[in-house]
Amino acid sequence: MSGPSTEERPEEMAEQPPEAAPEPQEKGGFSFPSALTVLAIILLVVWVAAFVIPSGYYERTPEGDPIPGSYTEIAKCERGVETETTPVRSVDRTPDGEACIDKSVLNMFQMLWISPPNGLYGVEDEFGTVSSGNEGWLFGSAEIFLFVLVVGAFITVTMKTGAVTNGITRLALRFKSSPTMLIVILMVVFALGGTSYGMWEETLGFYVLLVALVLALEFDRMVGAGVIFIGAGTGIIASTVNPFATGVASDAAGIAISEGLVLRVLMWIVLVPVGIGYVLWYARRVAADPSKSVVGLDPDEATGEVEDVPALDGRQKLILTLFLGTFLVMIYGFIPWDDIWDSLIGGAFPLPQMADLLGDFYFTEASVLFLVAAVVIGLIAGFGEKGTVETITAGAADFLGAALVIVVARSITVVMKNTFIIDTILDWMEGIVSGTSSMVFAQLAFLVNIPIAFLVPSSSGHAALVMPILAPLADFAGVARDIVVTGYQSASGLVNLITPTSAVLMGGLALSKIGYDKYIKFILPYMAIVFVLIILFIGLGVIVGGEVEPVAEAASGAVSAPEASPAP
């Protein structure tokens, strides 16, 4: 799964234990820190920066959008000057009646100390500050935190049954005599997994099998690895409803996950065939001339074990149906059918929706869906009550690191909001963005996320970190927020294909017996092609629907909501 980094969420598989996927070893005694550590460092850096970055706020529209040109700076409270408290956390009033913000070391330390809990269950009040004692609406990541844990439990239970691995194995063997069709079908399957739920860690069980299969078909090891890396990786780049990337980013940007769905589906339809074509081109090139292989082709390598695969029994077929059906129900529930139907045909959507049954359907309701499905699959698989509960618990534990990444990333935003420096950063950027065309800004939103993806390999942590800044900037530039979400996830997915800090990537290469340098030689041309296509798609998105009326114009005549201002 693309959202968690492998260090945060190793996958327990029946056929391929985690020990088979060795962690990448860094030379020279240095190991790149995990995403959780990187985010913790960023939290400290932001906290220190908050001492020197001026605090301030924008007036906002009733919808909560910042109004350009309305920025007001809040002075620091002077030491030794008595102040009065106000309803706004950290903001006091001087004897002259002027607002000031308390940036004493003690107050700032207390703010840092409670930022992780507030990143989980903090409540945002009418002034924009976040605390567990506030009255308002949930700002913390509790909903997504639970969702990540439950999805982890669901996938772990399903993988333990062996049904998923066995199903893809049988599919591969059925088309063994038609290698081109085999590659196409497998890559489509992996791409569907990537685009729907960020299939990444789950691929570790397939490398040995597919490498053995492609060697028997007189291809080289890189073809087997490429089917998985490019198949699942391209699906992740063009994530449509991937909850760990698109879902987290959309939530942080304040939009529905369905916004921008048409563009992302179009990207998937184009990029996946490009990926398939690239792998087929390389495979045919190697088959015609083995010297063209980037890893070499050993004619003495044999793969007889691939034949010894049991047929899917009725229980496994039922489990696979439930596994796929659960994701389809989630996708069906996330799509705003009424809006789509009304815009295309007119009127209300004629079929029942998940919200009709549950009152609403988003991360909270989807969490219960996956939990119930995990229990049902565990019982069908014969794990029993105890075995099912233990597997669900173990699966949730495997995903705990990924869930904590989201919490720490959200806590960074909590510090920025409670010190009122987000609007200051927006004010600094406003002058740049206001003179930038929508097209240029949209491309920059993609490019700036590439280096960030290296520093924060967890796609969900990356999303929670950058979206609170990029989404309002998109409003200033007149770019729809879903374009920024698409740019972020494309950058994250692209970097996902080459980052050496990913244990999935390095473990998959180790299982395939392929050197990282050889893999880079293979993958870089494909990445260059995809990079250009992403640029074109983002531009297309701006042209056909991603360019909106800038906030400055949209807010003209709007009455600024008094509760949006932190000034007492």
Side-chain angles (χ1 to χ4, degrees):
M1 193 163 300
S2 68
S5 63
T6 307
E7 293 87 353
E8 296 149 3
R9 200 195 126 255
E11 190 62 63
E12 181 182 17
M13 299 185 181
E15 286 78 3
Q16 185 62 59
E19 290 79 2
E23 295 284 340
Q25 297 296 319
E26 299 285 345
K27 296 182 180 180
F30 174 76
S31 177
F32 193 86
S34 68
L36 194 62
T37 302
V38 170
L39 287 171
I41 293 172
I42 294 175
L43 173 62
L44 291 174
V45 170
V46 169
W47 178 73
V48 172
F51 281 95
V52 295
I53 297 177
S55 300
Y57 64 94
Y58 276 100
E59 296 292 338
R60 280 173 159 75
T61 67
E63 293 76 26
D65 298 323
I67 301 175
S70 66
Y71 174 80
T72 301
E73 185 173 321
I74 306 176
K76 287 184 182 180
C77 296
E78 296 182 13
R79 295 181 61 182
V81 177
E82 293 188 6
T83 58
E84 298 178 5
T85 59
T86 72
V88 186
R89 188 174 301 274
S90 299
V91 176
D92 295 339
R93 183 184 293 112
T94 67
D96 296 333
E98 297 294 328
C100 66
I101 186 164
D102 182 4
K103 288 195 176 182
S104 64
V105 174
L106 178 60
N107 187 66
M108 292 287 285
F109 175 75
Q110 292 172 348
M111 192 181 301
L112 173 68
W113 188 261
I114 63 172
S115 61
N118 284 333
L120 177 62
Y121 51 76
V123 175
E124 183 175 4
D125 63 13
E126 60 182 350
F127 303 106
T129 63
V130 180
S131 174
S132 59
N134 285 347
E135 292 185 4
W137 47 93
L138 179 67
F139 180 82
S141 55
E143 284 185 312
I144 303 177
F145 180 86
L146 176 63
F147 181 74
V148 169
L149 296 182
V150 173
V151 170
F154 169 76
I155 291 176
T156 300
V157 170
T158 308
M159 295 302 294
K160 188 175 180 180
T161 68
V164 174
T165 303
N166 228 26
I168 290 187
T169 302
R170 298 298 301 178
L171 179 66
L173 291 176
R174 175 172 296 184
F175 292 92
K176 183 178 178 181
S177 60
S178 304
T180 297
M181 185 61 66
L182 167 68
I183 290 174
V184 171
I185 291 178
L186 286 178
M187 291 190 70
V188 168
V189 170
F190 283 119
L192 286 171
T195 193
S196 60
Y197 71 95
M199 184 181 190
W200 195 239
E201 280 86 352
E202 296 78 21
T203 62
L204 284 174
F206 304 119
Y207 288 97
V208 174
L209 167 70
L210 289 186
V211 166
L213 182 58
V214 298
L215 287 174
L217 298 173
E218 299 183 351
F219 299 132
D220 68 359
R221 295 176 172 273
M222 190 64 78
V223 174
V227 165
I228 301 174
F229 283 131
I230 293 182
T234 303
I236 292 171
I237 290 173
S239 291
T240 50
V241 291
N242 176 5
F244 298 96
T246 314
V248 174
S250 298
D251 177 73
I255 62 175
I257 194 173
S258 57
E259 295 187 42
L261 181 61
V262 174
L263 178 64
R264 296 193 294 268
V265 170
L266 183 60
M267 286 181 64
W268 190 91
I269 292 174
V270 173
L271 294 183
V272 171
V274 170
I276 293 172
Y278 184 80
V279 173
L280 288 176
W281 166 79
Y282 176 80
R284 290 167 179 166
R285 189 168 179 249
V286 170
D289 184 359
S291 66
K292 300 294 185 181
S293 170
V294 298
V295 294
L297 197 58
D298 186 350
D300 296 327
E301 289 181 302
T303 60
E305 307 123 7
V306 74
E307 299 289 350
D308 187 21
V309 179
L312 285 169
D313 56 29
R315 178 180 296 180
Q316 288 181 322
K317 291 179 181 178
L318 178 58
I319 289 172
L320 280 178
T321 301
L322 289 173
F323 178 76
L324 297 174
T326 302
F327 279 102
L328 290 176
V329 170
M330 179 197 73
I331 294 170
Y332 181 82
F334 279 167
I335 295 175
W337 293 109
D338 282 337
D339 294 340
I340 296 175
W341 190 269
D342 183 60
S343 61
L344 295 179
I345 299 177
F349 185 63
L351 299 179
Q353 301 176 59
M354 295 300 297
D356 297 332
L357 176 65
L358 302 175
D360 194 8
F361 192 84
Y362 207 47
F363 284 117
T364 300
E365 293 76 17
S367 296
V368 181
L369 168 69
F370 280 101
L371 180 60
V372 171
V375 172
V376 172
I377 288 176
L379 296 177
I380 292 176
F383 295 164
E385 180 271 332
K386 183 177 181 181
T388 300
V389 171
E390 288 178 349
T391 306
I392 288 174
T393 304
D398 284 344
F399 277 69
L400 181 59
L404 289 175
V405 162
I406 298 172
V407 173
V408 176
R410 187 62 62 91
S411 70
I412 295 171
T413 308
V414 169
V415 170
M416 296 173 71
K417 288 182 72 69
N418 286 348
T419 56
F420 294 98
I421 64 173
I422 287 183
D423 283 5
T424 300
I425 297 173
L426 290 176
D427 180 58
W428 290 347
M429 298 297 294
E430 182 186 345
I432 301 174
V433 174
S434 60
T436 302
S437 69
S438 300
M439 182 67 69
V440 172
F441 175 82
Q443 305 298 352
L444 288 175
F446 163 62
L447 296 174
V448 76
N449 276 291
I450 292 178
I452 296 175
F454 275 105
L455 294 174
V456 188
S458 167
S459 60
S460 49
H462 179 178
L465 176 67
V466 303
M467 281 302 127
I469 296 293
L470 286 180
L473 284 177
D475 297 338
F476 291 151
V479 175
R481 292 189 175 195
D482 61 88
I483 297 295
V484 175
V485 170
T486 300
Y488 136 76
Q489 70 175 40
S490 299
S492 178
L494 196 65
V495 172
N496 203 43
L497 287 174
I498 60 169
T499 177
T501 60
S502 168
V504 174
L505 176 64
M506 303 307 287
L509 291 175
L511 289 170
S512 305
K513 298 181 181 178
I514 296 172
Y516 180 71
D517 58 329
K518 304 294 185 183
Y519 171 73
I520 289 297
K521 184 178 179 181
F522 165 77
I523 200 67
L524 281 182
Y526 174 69
M527 291 186 63
I529 296 171
V530 173
F531 178 87
V532 173
L533 289 175
I534 291 173
I535 292 290
L536 294 176
F537 270 110
I538 291 177
L540 177 64
V542 173
I543 292 172
V544 302
E547 187 171 4
V548 298
E549 188 179 15
V551 173
E553 299 175 17
S556 60
V559 178
S560 176
E563 64 271 17
S565 170

